[in-house]
Amino acid sequence: MAHTETPAQIARRLEKSRRWFDLIPPEGVPIRFEVAGLAGRFGAQLLDILITVVVMMAIIIVLAFLPFDIAPVVNSLAAILMLMIRAPYYILTELFWNGQTIGKRATGLRVLGADGRGLTTHAVVARNLMKEVEIFMPGTLLLVSGGLDLFWNLVLLAWILVVLIVPLASKKRQRLGDLIANTYVMVRPKSVLLPDLSTSVSANVFDFTPAQLEHYGRFELQTLESLLRTEAKTRGSDARRRDSLIQVAAQIRRKIGYEEPVPDSRVAEFLHAFYTAQRAFLEQKRIFGDVRDDKHHRDMDTG
């Protein structure tokens, strides 16, 4: 009898198949990213090619309405237009969209520099011009391979094998263009914080300074969120839970040095406001590579 994997076993197997790499940005805090799989990269590439082909066809249709015959040169014109559209498309989108083309945005991928800094113009140009040699030149030759002799067909086959083997053999799935430009393609990370609870609060009437928000990390934020979600479900009907909120608020006020009085009737509002401000503060820090897991991050920074 054939063995059937359970959903949990399938999930574990897929998790093991994922590849990760640690990137150390200038701030010195390691950040872990998931390496983009070949299937995701192929999907992004397919969408980008479709976009460039549609633009090329639109230009040819417009030219067809001009008072001269383009039929004899339509194939050559299409090849030239594809090159003129494709290279600027990849380069400009990755430069202005921080390592993403439309296809990469749709599939959740992004190009990163291996040094953790922003992508340089040189890296973006190098990896995308190399893409012409790796992908589009052999692809074009495949379309006309019927007119090539045996030698050039063997050369084309060997080149295609090299292009396919390089990312398969690379631990970080780097193609030749990535190796030359020193870049990676990774899965765009999702926020590690829980879904935003701050949308349940209509207005934030409590203000917190950056110094007051320096004291806590992600673990404490998620603990506070669990408490607030539980409080929202009970709708304040449990007196002991209300007392717990008052104690938590008092502890937070002492920890961060919040001196303004908070009436017991507004404790939940205070905690929601603190949650909203603390969440935004941590997410802003995380953008710059400062990952604060808990309140002991200060000790680790100075240890």
Side-chain angles (χ1 to χ4, degrees):
M1 183 176 179
H3 174 68
T4 303
E5 288 184 301
T6 64
Q9 290 173 327
I10 295 175
R12 283 195 296 269
R13 177 166 55 81
L14 292 176
E15 182 65 26
K16 289 181 180 179
S17 68
R18 297 163 70 184
R19 299 192 178 196
W20 304 84
F21 71 93
D22 291 326
L23 186 65
I24 302 179
E27 294 81 3
V29 181
I31 306 176
R32 172 157 287 195
F33 293 103
E34 181 184 353
V35 177
L38 296 182
R41 295 180 69 167
F42 177 78
Q45 193 70 257
L46 196 61
L47 180 55
D48 287 327
I49 291 174
L50 179 61
I51 291 170
T52 55
V53 168
V54 169
V55 174
M56 179 269 296
M57 292 180 64
I59 294 175
I60 289 180
I61 291 173
V62 171
L63 293 176
F65 285 97
L66 297 179
F68 52 83
D69 185 15
I70 65 170
V73 296
V74 67
N75 290 334
S76 300
L77 181 61
I80 294 173
L81 283 175
M82 281 300 296
L83 180 60
M84 294 177 62
I85 295 168
R86 191 170 54 223
Y89 165 78
Y90 283 102
I91 292 171
L92 293 176
T93 52
E94 287 189 1
L95 278 176
F96 289 102
W97 282 352
N98 198 18
Q100 290 184 298
T101 60
I102 295 176
K104 288 185 179 69
R105 287 172 72 94
T107 54
L109 305 182
R110 179 185 168 193
V111 181
L112 285 179
D115 59 359
R117 301 178 184 273
L119 286 173
T120 64
T121 303
H122 174 270
V124 172
V125 172
R127 73 182 305 274
N128 284 296
L129 289 184
M130 192 62 191
K131 184 183 293 182
E132 295 291 330
V133 179
E134 287 181 80
I135 299 172
F136 298 117
M137 185 181 73
T140 302
L141 291 177
L142 273 177
L143 296 177
V144 298
S145 59
L148 301 177
D149 57 29
L150 178 61
F151 172 77
W152 288 110
N153 274 301
L154 291 176
V155 170
L156 177 60
L157 179 61
W159 179 247
I160 292 174
L161 288 175
V162 169
V163 169
L164 293 175
I165 289 173
V166 168
L168 288 174
S170 171
K171 292 183 179 179
K172 298 172 183 176
R173 298 290 189 231
Q174 291 174 288
R175 59 177 178 83
L176 291 174
D178 289 315
L179 293 172
I180 292 173
N182 200 22
T183 55
Y184 305 126
V185 180
M186 59 88 180
V187 177
R188 189 174 60 219
K190 298 179 177 61
S191 175
V192 296
L193 296 175
L194 295 178
D196 195 355
L197 186 67
S198 61
T199 55
S200 62
V201 182
S202 58
N204 185 0
V205 295
F206 296 95
D207 294 322
F208 302 93
T209 66
Q212 291 172 330
L213 298 174
E214 285 280 356
H215 293 275
Y216 289 105
R218 182 179 58 188
F219 174 78
E220 289 82 14
L221 184 68
Q222 292 180 345
T223 302
L224 176 59
E225 178 175 352
S226 298
L227 178 66
L228 293 176
R229 288 188 184 279
T230 304
E231 187 272 339
K233 290 179 181 179
T234 60
R235 298 185 180 278
S237 59
D238 190 336
R240 286 182 301 177
R241 194 169 302 282
R242 289 199 303 272
D243 291 340
S244 297
L245 292 181
I246 293 173
Q247 293 175 10
V248 170
Q251 182 178 356
I252 290 175
R253 290 172 58 207
R254 286 195 300 269
K255 178 71 175 179
I256 69 176
Y258 191 89
E259 298 179 354
E260 298 181 21
V262 178
D264 291 350
S265 60
R266 301 188 64 192
V267 162
E269 187 179 352
F270 169 82
L271 292 176
H272 275 280
F274 178 74
Y275 169 87
T276 302
Q278 186 71 69
R279 178 189 175 93
F281 180 78
L282 291 179
E283 289 182 337
Q284 182 67 24
K285 287 288 185 181
R286 186 172 181 271
I287 291 174
F288 294 99
D290 188 352
V291 181
R292 298 168 177 231
D293 284 330
D294 54 40
K295 62 185 178 183
H296 301 295
H297 65 86
R298 283 171 168 257
D299 298 333
M300 295 176 65
D301 291 340
T302 58

